[in-house]
Every structure is written in structure tokens, then in C-alpha cells.
Amino acid sequence: MSPLSETRRVAGVVHPCLDSPARAVALGEAQLTDRRKVGVLLQAAGLLSLLDQAGWHLVAGWDPARIDDGGRLSVGEDGVAPGLSSRPAQDLLLDLTARLFGEGLVAGRGEARRAVRALLDPWRQTLVPLPPDEAVARILDEAPFLWDSEHGPARRALAGGLERDAANGRVWVAGPRPLRTRLLARCRSVAALQDLLGGAEARALWNREEAGAPAELAAAGRWRAAVAAWQRRPPESAAERIGLAAALECLGRFEAALETLSGLRCPAARALAARCQLGLGQLRAARATLLSLEDEPLEPGQVASLAEIASRVHANRGKPGRAGLWLRRALDETGGDPRAALHARLTAAEAAWDRGDATTLDRFLEQARPALDEPDLAWRWHHVRALRALLEPDGGAEAVASVARALRSGRRRLTRRQAAGLWNDLGLGRARAGDLAGAERAFLHLLRLESGCDGPRKTTLALCNVAEIRLRRGRLAGVREILARSEEANRRAGNLRGVTGDVELWVRFELALGRPEAALALCGEARAELARAKSGWHDGVLGLLAARALGWLGRPAEAAAELARVPLDVLADLEPEERPALRAHAGDLEGALREAAGTPFAPLWTGLLAGAPPPARHWQALAALEPYRAARLVFDGDLLVPG
């Protein structure tokens, strides 16, 4: 039974926020501490989760909402009604945040306001609806004070009931599925669940607290349990603080990890700090930390790890060659540690991919082949193999297969950020293979993973990749806002590659709007900026998009000149039905026929390139395309054979 058909049978909902307390005041009149206000957000997210599951909605948003002296939120029974909401959860939560904390930035000190600032960034995106359950998880992760006893009433709002009829119903718990499974296994009624969530035992269930020393739990990959154990018994030594910070880093909580490392100056602490700074997009700070470690005596594993960090930092700054010192050091100083030596070679192979140097990549990848026998490194080998496949015009299918092997082999060892990176490259491979719908699903999962991590990548990587696929499918809603936010974040971080990627998406956006002049101007601006930085990053992609714009503008000679400098593998960034059009508009009719050969559109292009309107049966191939892509192909054909 589909979720929609099931929710249509829900006749009523039961939730604490539907009660009407006797002593309650309007939202604007409530005198609450900042922590109690965050508790109100948790109650609201719990209510939205229940309504989403039931197929119900808030009738008038938060207009009728009231709050009692204990900080309990109420919208009343008349505040909800059957029918799906027209507003996404993040829009409703943003509205409530503004009513509680005021419009604009949530300034000020304190743990509660810091938590709200961390929550607002993913809520402000409009491209992808935010599942209320993810909002619940994020609120509890960012505001651990909500587990204190005084916030028990707020936590009770995570439980509710769905009434199918007078005699049948079921209970519901907002939050991650594993938590819901554990709670529903213990409680069969809404009242029992609310009592459990409001009590002291709830935090242990949420954190999946386990027996054992924190360091042992962390070594076994039980990072959340390790963090919970250290919270029960705070670290007493520098080594334990580094262990806690490492567990937090594995969970994507880079800011908390840096706070834990504050004041520690040993090489191990600074190396971990550099990784957290990279995770937060603080490229200048990460580079400074790397510089401070250049003359330090380091263990082979630390050198290999720092080489990996350095290659990412300098690549994002548009200067991948500057990681050479760390790469050479890693290759030279890890001979006595076989595992570190393999890690160093995989890092060198990935750095070669950053430079587009397939020969060097192949050499290091082959040298690192023994990593396939190392459980902690096998996934890295498969990942680099996927990157190698992406350098080939038809390497999408191999990239997808290699990433799938990486995910399987690293399933129990990947940090949240590492898993996100693999899902990102899975999406790239699917897009290269022509599976745009599959690519979008991969990028949406990437977004879910990145939403649990600190730093800007949820916008600059995850949402931007979703935006690109949406652009390629002709779905433009929300794209402009995402690109503006990503561009701001990348420029603030000094991420030249990110800025270039943003411009590429702006160019695609202008082309999708039918504005080739604006697209061409953006290509020129991006190239000028890359030239000032002495970087050739994605110059081929910019040339490809410039050729596309010039073709639409009826400037075939200039389009041909641009196309002549575009590497063959870059052509895969266009859809199969676009490639013949690109060459045809550049005056290369033979090349257009070669691009069309073997595709369902070959008969259509044969007719168009002969200058005659193709017969109706040749247009039937467009039925397999999404509407935007079909319309674009008709437009390309009309430019060649008007009318």
C-alpha cells in the first residue's frame, strides 16, 4: 500500500500540540528563555512529522499558536485539517523561528542561539523539501540541552497518534527511523511513549548508549556511542580529548570537534584540527594549520593523512600543485608503514585526478592495488578507480560500479563526510551515464548526509548538484536562490573551484532561460577570473558551454573555435541529443552525424542535417525525453531547418 493511500484513511491525529491549555498566551507575548524557544521548535517539528505522516496540514500556519507558562506549544484542534500542506516543513520552521527570535539573523551568545544559527542554514533552501523527521534529528543534535529534565514536556511532543477510525489507530514517533524502531519496540501506546520521551531514559535510547570504554567504542566505529560515553564521563587527558574530537569529526560535527581540541598544540591535535577546518570550508585556516606542521616530526600515518588534507585544501583554492610538498613527504616517509604507504599512493592518485593527469593516476593506482586487501583502504581504492573512470567520455557506468563497490567495502568504516563524498560521485557517474533521475536520487541522499554535517557543503556541493540535475531536466524552481547562497559561501571561503562551479551553473541557468548572450558573458567573466588565479580548472566545461551559447547566437565560426579546444570527455557534460546540435551549430555536420550515430535520434538528425524537415515518424524518438529536453531538441532543429 502506498503512503498516500494509507494517509487518506487517517481520520484523526492525536498530539500534545493540539491540546488547548487554560493558561496560554500568543507567541508574541510569551516570555521564554532562549532554550525554551528551541524547545518550542522541537515541538513544532514533532507536530509537523505527525501531520506529514497523516497527510494533514496546519490550517493557518502558526497564527493561532499559543504557549503556556511551561513553554508548551499549542495550535488547538481547529489548527489542523486533512490534506497535504502546500508549504514545506522548512518554510514553517523558518516562520516560527522568526516569531520566536525575530526576523533576520539570530545574533547573540549562548548555546541556544548558536544552535538556532546552525539550524537556519539548511532550512533556508527551497530547492528540496525538508523531511520533518530530519529537522527533529538536527534540532536534538545541535541543542543537546533539550535532553535536560526541564525540557521533558517538549520531548513529549515527539510522540503522537494516527486514528484511522474509532477503533483503529497507531502510534508515531518523530525522528530517525532507528530511534522510532527502538521506541516502538518498547511502547505500544501514545501515553507510554510520551512518558518515556519525557523521562531521563530517552537520551540513552537516542544516543544508543553502549557499555565499554569510549576509546574502544570509537575504534569499533561506534562514534555516537563513544561521544555519549565521553559526555557521561568527560575526557581527563589530552589523548582522550583528541579521541572525542576524532569521534565528533567522524559524525560531521566539526565545530564541536574544534572546540574540544581548543588549547591542544600537539601535532595529532593540529592535524585533526586541519581536517575539521577543511570540513567547515575554512580553507585559509586549514592552510595555516598545515604550514605550522611542515617542520614537525610526524608519524607515517599522520603524514599520509595530512597529504590528503593538503591536496583537498590546495585543489579547492585552485592551486593543486601546491600540495606537492606534502605529497612528496608522504611518499618518502611512509616506507616503514605499509598501510600509510598505500594511503599515500591513493592520495597521490587522487591528486593526479585533480590535475587531470591520467597517466600519473594510473601509475599510483596500480602501485596501491594491495590496498584491496586492507579493509580500511579498499573503499578508497575503488573510489579513486571511479574518479579515473570519470576522465573517460563513456566512463559513467564504470564509475557507478566502482562507487558501488566502495560503498559496499566501506559500509562499516565510512565517516559521514566520506559516505557523502561517495554518494556525490555516484551521482556524477549516473549523470555521465545518462541516468539523470538516478543522479538526482543520489544527490538527494548526499544532501541528507551533508545536512547532518557542519559546514557549507550542504549548499555548495549537495544542493548545487541537485540544482544542476534540475537544470538539465528543465526544472528551475529554487535554483536561483541556491546558486546565490553557494556563490556567497564559496567566495567567503576562497574556494576558487566552488566559485567556478557556481558560474557554470549560472551559465546553464541562463541557457535554460533562453538567454545565450548572458550565458556567454558569464563564461568570459569566469575565464578572466581563472586566468588571474593562473588556474585552468574546468576551462573545458566553460568552453563547451560558450560553444553552446555561440551556436544559439548564430556564430558558427566562434563556436567551432571554442569547440576545438574542448577535451572529448567534457562533451559528456551535455545530453546525447544535445551533442549533434552543438557540432551542427558550429558548422561541423559530419561531426554531428557521428555524435548522432547509434542513438535513437540518428534518423531525426540525418534529416535535419540534410536541410529537410524529417518525416513525422522520426520525431517519435522525442517521446522518451522529458518535456524540457524534447522542447530544446525541437528548438535546435528549428535553428537548422526553420519552421
Side-chain angles (χ1 to χ4, degrees):
M1 180 180 295
S2 70
L4 183 58
S5 63
E6 183 178 358
T7 57
R8 283 175 175 165
R9 294 172 57 187
V10 173
V13 291
V14 177
H15 193 270
C17 291
L18 305 184
D19 297 337
S20 298
R23 300 177 60 184
V25 298
L27 278 177
E29 301 173 12
Q31 300 295 316
L32 300 176
T33 65
D34 287 342
R35 292 191 173 200
R36 285 268 173 98
K37 291 177 182 178
V38 179
V40 172
L41 291 177
L42 180 66
Q43 296 171 66
L47 173 62
L48 293 176
S49 171
L50 179 72
L51 296 179
D52 181 66
Q53 183 66 18
W56 283 42
H57 67 284
L58 294 173
V59 175
W62 306 113
D63 288 345
R66 300 176 69 79
I67 296 178
D68 70 7
D69 294 340
R72 285 177 294 230
L73 174 69
S74 171
V75 296
E77 291 184 356
D78 295 334
V80 298
L84 296 175
S85 175
S86 61
R87 300 175 68 184
Q90 63 260 42
D91 186 17
L92 291 165
L93 291 171
L94 278 175
D95 181 17
L96 182 57
T97 303
R99 294 171 187 250
L100 292 168
F101 290 91
E103 297 284 352
L105 297 175
V106 179
R109 303 174 63 182
E111 190 176 7
R113 288 181 174 259
R114 182 207 61 77
V116 172
R117 286 193 290 270
L119 294 169
L120 287 178
D121 185 56
W123 291 356
R124 288 192 176 113
Q125 64 86 13
T126 59
L127 192 63
V128 180
L130 172 73
D133 287 334
E134 291 187 17
V136 168
R138 189 66 173 169
I139 291 170
L140 287 170
D141 273 344
E142 293 295 340
F145 55 81
L146 291 178
W147 295 110
D148 294 348
S149 59
E150 66 174 295
H151 299 290
R155 298 196 301 274
R156 292 173 64 89
L158 299 180
L162 305 169
E163 297 179 338
R164 293 180 179 171
D165 53 46
N168 295 291
R170 65 187 178 100
V171 295
W172 178 256
V173 182
R177 183 180 299 174
L179 172 69
R180 181 158 50 248
T181 301
R182 291 195 297 276
L183 290 174
L184 292 178
R186 298 179 58 131
C187 302
R188 297 296 183 182
S189 70
V190 174
L193 272 171
Q194 290 175 343
D195 289 342
L196 180 60
L197 286 165
E201 192 180 357
R203 184 171 193 169
L205 290 168
W206 171 268
N207 287 325
R208 299 167 75 173
E209 293 180 5
E210 302 173 22
E216 294 173 355
L217 292 169
R222 312 296 296 176
W223 301 306
R224 185 180 290 275
V227 170
W230 265 308
Q231 287 174 338
R232 295 194 303 271
R233 185 185 63 78
E236 297 177 351
S237 66
E240 284 194 321
R241 286 174 62 189
I242 293 172
L244 170 57
L248 289 166
E249 188 273 331
C250 290
L251 294 171
R253 297 172 59 185
F254 307 120
E255 292 181 353
L258 283 176
E259 291 177 8
T260 303
L261 294 169
S262 178
L264 297 179
R265 299 298 302 162
C266 63
R270 281 185 283 164
L272 182 55
R275 186 173 294 279
C276 294
Q277 289 162 342
L278 172 62
L280 290 168
Q282 299 173 358
L283 301 182
R284 296 181 183 88
R287 182 169 175 267
T289 304
L290 289 168
L291 285 171
S292 75
L293 287 165
E294 286 184 357
D295 297 325
E296 293 282 355
L298 300 169
E299 297 176 2
Q302 291 174 331
V303 178
S305 179
L306 286 165
E308 178 189 346
I309 296 168
S311 67
R312 298 263 44 86
V313 168
H314 291 294
N316 287 340
R317 288 174 61 84
K319 304 180 187 300
R322 293 192 177 178
L325 182 148
W326 280 106
L327 290 170
R328 289 190 296 273
R329 186 173 175 183
L331 294 170
D332 292 342
E333 297 183 15
T334 56
D337 185 333
R339 187 184 179 285
L342 291 171
H343 187 180
R345 278 152 180 77
L346 288 170
T347 297
E350 191 169 354
W353 175 80
D354 273 318
R355 303 190 303 271
D357 184 352
T359 302
T360 300
L361 188 160
D362 288 339
R363 185 176 78 252
F364 281 119
L365 188 61
E366 184 59 32
Q367 291 177 8
R369 186 173 289 276
L372 291 170
D373 298 324
E374 292 283 340
D376 290 337
L377 291 176
W379 73 269
R380 292 182 184 273
W381 195 94
H382 291 302
H383 183 211
V384 178
R385 181 67 188 86
L387 296 177
R388 175 65 178 89
L390 288 173
L391 293 177
E392 301 296 333
D394 56 352
E398 173 57 30
V400 169
S402 293
V403 173
R405 287 191 286 269
L407 286 167
R408 285 196 299 270
S409 61
R411 185 165 54 95
R412 300 185 183 280
R413 298 173 176 85
L414 296 170
T415 69
R416 192 177 187 94
R417 175 55 57 82
Q418 289 167 343
L422 288 176
W423 278 92
N424 175 70
D425 292 337
L426 179 64
L428 295 178
R430 286 176 175 175
R432 178 65 60 89
D435 181 9
L436 298 188
E440 183 169 338
R441 289 193 300 272
F443 291 142
L444 288 173
H445 188 61
L446 159 68
L447 177 60
R448 284 190 286 271
L449 290 169
E450 284 292 348
S451 292
C453 296
D454 298 333
R457 281 195 8 156
K458 59 181 70 69
T459 296
T460 59
L461 180 71
L463 280 171
C464 279
N465 281 343
V466 174
E468 178 178 348
I469 294 299
R470 296 273 175 88
L471 283 172
R472 291 170 69 168
R473 303 179 74 183
R475 296 155 60 187
L476 310 186
V479 169
R480 184 189 299 275
E481 294 80 3
I482 291 302
L483 293 184
R485 289 177 54 207
S486 179
E487 191 172 44
E488 178 187 358
N490 279 320
R491 289 195 180 279
R492 188 168 57 245
N495 188 339
L496 180 65
R497 289 193 171 184
V499 170
T500 305
D502 294 332
V503 174
E504 290 172 18
L505 291 184
W506 279 117
V507 173
R508 287 184 179 274
F509 186 65
E510 295 293 352
L511 289 174
L513 291 174
R515 300 198 295 225
E517 298 94 340
L520 188 62
L522 285 172
C523 287
E525 293 172 11
R527 285 172 148 176
E529 187 161 349
L530 287 171
R532 286 192 294 271
K534 298 181 180 179
S535 172
W537 173 252
H538 271 209
D539 184 67
V541 177
L542 291 170
L544 178 72
L545 296 174
R548 193 77 170 104
L550 288 164
W552 279 2
L553 290 169
R555 295 155 63 177
E558 294 171 81
E562 288 285 3
L563 192 54
R565 296 194 294 269
V566 175
L568 286 177
D569 65 290
V570 175
L571 286 174
D573 283 359
L574 295 182
E575 316 312 334
E577 73 276 5
E578 277 193 286
R579 296 167 205 160
L582 174 71
R583 292 197 180 277
H585 295 326
D588 181 8
L589 301 188
E590 292 184 1
L593 284 173
R594 288 196 303 273
E595 293 288 353
T599 73
F601 314 104
L604 176 63
W605 278 109
T606 299
L608 289 170
L609 294 170
R617 68 179 185 277
H618 290 169
W619 290 101
Q620 293 175 359
L622 273 66
L625 297 177
E626 293 179 297
Y628 167 75
R629 292 172 63 182
R632 183 179 58 199
L633 180 50
V634 172
F635 176 69
D636 280 320
D638 194 67
L639 288 178
L640 292 171
V641 185

